Amino acid sequence: MKTFIFLIIVLLTNIIQGITGFAGTVLAMPFTILLLGIEVAKPLLNIVTLVACVLIVFESYKEIVWKEFLKMTAIMLVGVFIGEYIYALFPVDVLLIIYAIFIILIALKGIFVRKEYEVTDAVLIGVIVLSGIVHGMFLSGGPLLIIYAVKKLPKKAAFRATLAPVWIVLNSYLLVKQFMGGFITTQIMVLSLISVPILIVAVIVGKKLYEHMSQKTFLMLSYMLLLISGISLIL
């Protein structure tokens, strides 16, 4: 039953990932933590996200804005190093509550705050670093990174295509660390392999919806799911 529920989570969240290019892991993480525990959820969703993003890049690589990809990736890596250190330093239960509050605030901002504020490039760089820190702890830097991406990648196709390879680089680094640390268990490998057909279906469906429906609608859906997942994690 847990495997079946996990596959449903993979399907639904990666349809969103296929549409927006960023929301899959942050939506799946709280539910997967509740279902399987954080020590399984982090490496498992890392692999799942890697495969999903490779599929997205395969069909949309022509839309990648390489300058922004390199900039976001380099700065986020700095944040990832900091995030790994913080994760090792503090109790997981405390970090999970902070994480839940973080995604609830991001969700509420996305749902209720329509106004876009002008911010300096220095602030945007800080946002990328903070995104990397969250990604280093919980593989969920996407909601913060979009604050930068929506300003620098206003075209929907470039936004989606450029974010996917960022996650490939960052998650590949984290996967190597997880493998070396002995966190990639037989259970995780089996669940990852089972997830691949579901991922392919999810990305195809997400691509079709992305082509025919408003991204604004699906961003709103992502924020609503973020709110539900954050509240669930706290409860």
Side-chain angles (χ1 to χ4, degrees):
M1 180 58 71
K2 284 187 176 182
T3 300
F4 176 75
I5 295 172
F6 172 69
L7 292 176
I8 295 298
I9 293 170
V10 169
L11 176 65
L12 296 178
T13 57
N14 281 281
I15 287 175
I16 304 297
Q17 177 82 21
I19 295 163
T20 64
F22 80 91
T25 308
V26 73
L27 291 173
M29 184 64 76
F31 295 117
T32 308
I33 288 172
L34 291 171
L35 186 67
L36 301 173
I38 191 167
E39 296 303 324
V40 174
K42 283 185 66 177
L44 178 57
L45 290 179
N46 191 11
I47 296 171
V48 168
T49 302
L50 264 172
V51 176
C53 289
V54 167
L55 292 172
I56 292 173
V57 169
F58 181 75
E59 50 86 9
S60 62
Y61 65 92
K62 292 182 180 179
E63 304 293 339
I64 296 172
V65 180
W66 292 102
K67 179 181 177 181
E68 291 298 337
F69 156 69
L70 293 171
K71 182 178 180 181
M72 288 187 289
T73 303
I75 298 172
M76 277 193 74
L77 274 171
V78 175
V80 166
F81 299 146
I82 299 171
E84 288 181 298
Y85 177 76
I86 293 173
Y87 185 82
L89 199 61
F90 293 96
V92 172
D93 289 346
V94 173
L95 293 175
L96 282 175
I97 294 298
I98 295 171
Y99 171 58
I101 294 170
F102 159 74
I103 60 176
I104 288 171
L105 291 175
I106 292 290
L108 291 174
K109 186 268 180 189
I111 293 168
F112 295 111
V113 180
R114 296 287 186 269
K115 184 177 178 181
E116 291 293 333
Y117 296 94
E118 290 298 323
V119 293
T120 65
D121 285 344
V123 171
L124 290 176
I125 295 299
V127 168
I128 301 176
V129 174
L130 187 57
S131 173
I133 291 172
V134 175
H135 202 74
M137 290 192 291
F138 296 110
L139 293 166
S140 304
L144 275 171
L145 188 61
I146 62 168
I147 296 172
Y148 174 87
V150 294
K151 294 186 178 299
K152 299 297 183 178
L153 301 166
K155 292 183 179 180
K156 185 172 69 171
F159 178 96
R160 174 178 176 271
T162 306
L163 288 181
V166 173
W167 309 131
I168 290 175
V169 173
L170 297 179
N171 289 21
S172 294
Y173 160 74
L174 291 171
L175 181 61
V176 170
K177 292 287 294 290
Q178 290 164 348
F179 182 81
M180 293 175 63
F183 295 107
I184 308 299
T185 64
T186 301
Q187 177 194 13
I188 289 169
M189 292 303 298
V190 169
L191 286 173
S192 300
L193 289 173
I194 295 172
S195 301
V196 171
I198 305 297
L199 277 172
I200 294 171
V201 172
V203 171
I204 291 172
V205 172
K207 179 66 160 48
K208 294 295 182 183
L209 292 173
Y210 155 80
E211 291 173 346
H212 293 97
M213 305 181 84
S214 166
Q215 184 177 354
K216 181 180 178 181
T217 301
F218 285 98
L219 283 174
M220 183 58 66
L221 175 61
S222 297
Y223 288 128
M224 291 299 295
L225 290 172
L226 276 178
L227 183 61
I228 293 169
S229 63
I231 292 171
S232 299
L233 193 56
I234 287 179
L235 293 177

